[in-house]
Amino acid sequence: MTRTTATGSLALAVVLLFTLGTLAAVLIRAEALSGFGPADWAALRFSLVQATLSATLSILLAIPLGRAIARRRFPGRGLLIMLLGAPFILPTIVAVFGLISVFGRSGIVSDVLGFVGLEPISIYGFHGVVLAHVFFNLPLATRLVLQGWLAIPAERFRLAASLGFRARDVTRWLERPMLREVLPGTFLVIFLLCLTSFAVALALGGGPKATTIELAIYQAFNLEFDLGKAALLALVQFALGLAVALIAFRVALPTGFGAGLDRSLRRWDAAGPGFVLMDTVIIALATVFLVLPITMIALDGLPRLLSLPASIWWAALRSLGIALTSVVVTLALALPMAALSVKSRLRVVEGIGSLTLAASPLVIGTGLFIILFPLTDPFALAFPVTAMVNSVMSLPFALRALVPALGQIEADYGRLADGLGMSGWARLRLLWLPRLRRPLGFTMGLSAALSMGDLGVIALFAAPDAPTLPLQIYRLMAAYRMPDAAGGALVLLVSSLALFWIFDRGGRAHADT
């Protein structure tokens, strides 16, 4: 067994422990399984419909936006690329507040409609859940699609221009093959995100007509304490994720563009004024849609920033420690799994990493609590457990960023490295790490930001006097201390963006070439 196989198998074992192991603990704890009732079938239908529509809309909007950003150079482009990570890394409940400020009955859009004599709109219900999911996932889809566009060597576009290719020819021969490889995995990740959505459905949905499976699991645990029903719902969710993963992996095809010379990208096929105007409008509309809710959060929180209680700052330090720990654990799991996936060419490795989303943080946290409770005090392990679960939940994004990049490196330079006898630490240091800077920076930034804003497992494990910042904000909101909650939300927003920017900076530098 090689070192790559050994370390990758160990990482796989850890992931399986946190997914199937915790799910098994929930099943063992349950005394009996109850059948699906009408409300459960309604939750299943609602979950599938809203997840499918949310993922489809996110991708359909991300394709023109990613193409526009990839083929244009304009002031603030780097800032826009950084902001594309902002809605996704926002704590969900904070971002929902921002959307309500814009699209709620007392929001900006309703005010404009009232000014012209129309009725205000409501954000609650099916359309509100889909809108929130598109807000959260459009930036992620755009970043993943943008990476695909930037992976096409500039020499291919130069050759296309010399051959007289028009825009539709470039789309047919260069862009569609790239999209066929990138979109299935992107759809899978977003579909699973929407399928396991909890806070959005809790805040904007709810009731018999707008309940997701995740919300039904929470209700089964906390309202009915029916572990059998919760376990059955979790299994259904897990099976759905597995089915979607298999479909996505089967339709993904390699593009085979090969290596380039890292020259600056220039798009002769889209230099006309019509293309420039179209890209400008797309970028402007997407920027307003993504920035406006974040701006509302800043405007609400800024007046309270200098008078926040000390408990918020201590909570922020706890969240920062958990986030940095999660980054280290995420890399320790993702790199060996990506290497094992590429070397063995077993797509099931990436599929197992993606299944952590199907398991859901709520089910994982419940299973861990059941496992730890007879052995030790679970509350004393709140921080390491939260960091580990957050790392496992970040794996699908890490693998989607690392596996294609590492596969391309091995396809381009693997034989040469083998011929030079380069293996182990030398291969990692001299071949992989220098060319993985962009996906590694994206992975570390995303992992840190997601962990910084997590409000899932910590709600089950945290002691009353040691909350993280998201949990402290939630408690302030529950106590109707909205000004302090708004100030804490702004601190959390700035902290999450700062962590993402620091780690992602190297990747963004490569995005300009």
Side-chain angles (χ1 to χ4, degrees):
M1 179 181 291
T2 65
R3 185 178 301 176
T4 299
T5 304
T7 55
S9 300
L10 180 61
L12 271 180
V14 173
V15 174
L16 289 173
L17 176 64
F18 276 80
T19 52
L20 299 182
T22 53
L23 191 60
V26 173
L27 285 171
I28 293 173
R29 174 64 178 82
E31 295 180 354
L33 295 178
S34 54
F36 252 44
D40 302 321
W41 285 112
L44 176 59
R45 287 194 297 270
F46 181 83
S47 297
L48 291 174
V49 172
Q50 66 85 17
T52 303
L53 185 59
S54 299
T56 303
L57 289 177
S58 297
I59 288 177
L60 290 178
L61 294 174
I63 293 174
L65 178 58
R67 181 174 58 183
I69 296 175
R71 64 188 184 184
R72 300 298 165 200
R73 297 294 183 270
F74 52 88
R77 179 176 179 269
L79 179 62
L80 176 59
I81 293 175
M82 184 192 74
L83 288 178
L84 285 175
F88 182 71
I89 62 181
L90 277 177
T92 306
I93 197 65
V94 176
V96 167
F97 272 172
L99 290 172
I100 291 175
S101 299
V102 177
F103 298 101
R105 294 186 67 86
S106 301
I108 298 175
V109 175
S110 292
D111 290 344
V112 173
L113 292 175
F115 183 76
V116 297
L118 299 177
E119 292 292 325
I121 60 175
S122 173
I123 196 175
Y124 298 99
F126 174 81
H127 60 283
V129 173
V130 173
L131 174 66
H133 284 159
V134 172
F135 175 80
F136 281 114
N137 296 307
L138 171 60
L140 173 64
T142 303
R143 288 296 298 263
L144 294 175
V145 171
L146 179 60
Q147 287 192 27
W149 246 293
L150 295 176
I152 302 176
E155 289 76 15
R156 300 297 187 274
F157 292 102
R158 186 184 297 270
L159 177 61
S162 67
L163 294 175
F165 275 23
R166 290 177 290 183
R168 64 170 180 267
D169 300 320
V170 172
T171 300
R172 177 183 179 186
W173 295 106
L174 294 181
E175 296 177 332
R176 285 181 184 171
M178 179 275 295
L179 291 173
R180 289 185 64 186
E181 181 178 4
V182 172
L183 292 186
T186 304
F187 180 88
L188 165 68
V189 171
I190 296 177
F191 182 88
L192 291 177
L193 278 173
C194 298
L195 193 66
T196 58
S197 175
F198 171 65
V200 168
L202 184 66
L204 300 178
K209 296 183 179 179
T211 297
T212 62
I213 295 179
E214 185 80 354
L215 188 55
I217 294 172
Y218 171 80
Q219 292 171 346
F221 269 105
N222 289 274
L223 302 181
E224 307 168 12
F225 202 65
D226 189 342
L227 296 181
K229 178 182 289 186
L232 182 59
L233 290 167
L235 286 175
V236 170
Q237 185 169 279
F238 207 82
L240 287 174
L242 179 62
V244 176
L246 293 175
I247 294 172
F249 292 150
R250 286 184 64 85
V251 298
L253 296 174
T255 55
F257 285 115
L261 301 177
D262 293 337
R263 291 177 176 173
S264 298
L265 177 64
R266 183 178 176 185
R267 296 293 300 270
W268 292 271
D269 59 296
F275 289 107
V276 174
L277 177 62
M278 179 179 66
D279 289 345
T280 302
V281 171
I282 290 173
I283 293 173
L285 291 177
T287 301
V288 171
F289 175 66
L290 298 174
V291 170
L292 193 56
I294 301 174
T295 303
M296 296 304 298
I297 296 171
L299 293 177
D300 291 338
L302 197 58
R304 293 290 298 179
L305 196 58
L306 298 179
S307 58
L308 288 176
S311 59
I312 289 183
W313 298 109
W314 282 112
L317 287 177
R318 296 187 193 99
S319 293
L320 180 61
I322 292 176
L324 295 179
T325 305
S326 295
V327 169
V328 175
V329 178
T330 298
L331 289 183
L333 294 175
L335 267 177
M337 289 181 63
L340 179 62
S341 176
V342 172
K343 285 290 186 181
S344 65
R345 299 182 180 180
L346 293 175
R347 305 190 68 88
V348 69
V349 175
E350 193 177 352
I352 291 175
S354 299
L355 290 180
T356 58
L357 288 177
S360 93
L362 209 62
V363 174
I364 292 177
T366 304
L368 285 174
F369 193 93
I370 293 172
I371 294 173
L372 294 174
F373 186 70
L375 306 175
T376 184
D377 179 13
F379 300 108
L381 301 175
F383 291 167
V385 166
T386 302
M388 282 297 300
V389 174
N390 288 343
S391 300
V392 172
M393 299 309 298
S394 300
L395 268 182
F397 316 109
L399 293 175
R400 285 309 305 164
L402 291 176
V403 171
L406 189 57
Q408 194 64 51
I409 292 173
E410 284 295 315
D412 295 337
Y413 306 102
R415 291 185 178 179
L416 176 60
D418 292 338
L420 295 173
M422 187 182 296
S423 61
W425 171 249
R427 199 182 190 100
L428 174 68
R429 184 171 60 89
L430 300 176
L431 178 61
W432 290 358
L433 292 183
R435 304 194 73 84
L436 283 175
R437 287 183 57 189
R438 183 191 302 164
L440 278 177
F442 177 70
T443 296
M444 296 169 69
L446 196 60
S447 175
L450 288 177
S451 184
M452 188 77 191
D454 173 69
L455 181 58
V457 178
I458 191 64
L460 300 177
F461 282 83
D465 58 343
T468 59
L469 183 53
L471 184 57
Q472 181 67 12
I473 294 172
Y474 174 78
R475 290 175 178 176
L476 291 172
M477 292 165 53
Y480 298 102
R481 294 173 59 184
M482 302 308 292
D484 286 341
L490 182 57
V491 172
L492 184 55
L493 171 63
V494 173
S495 302
S496 299
L497 290 179
L499 284 173
F500 184 82
W501 180 82
I502 290 171
F503 287 116
D504 192 49
R505 185 177 182 182
R508 287 187 292 106
H510 277 283
D512 292 332
T513 62

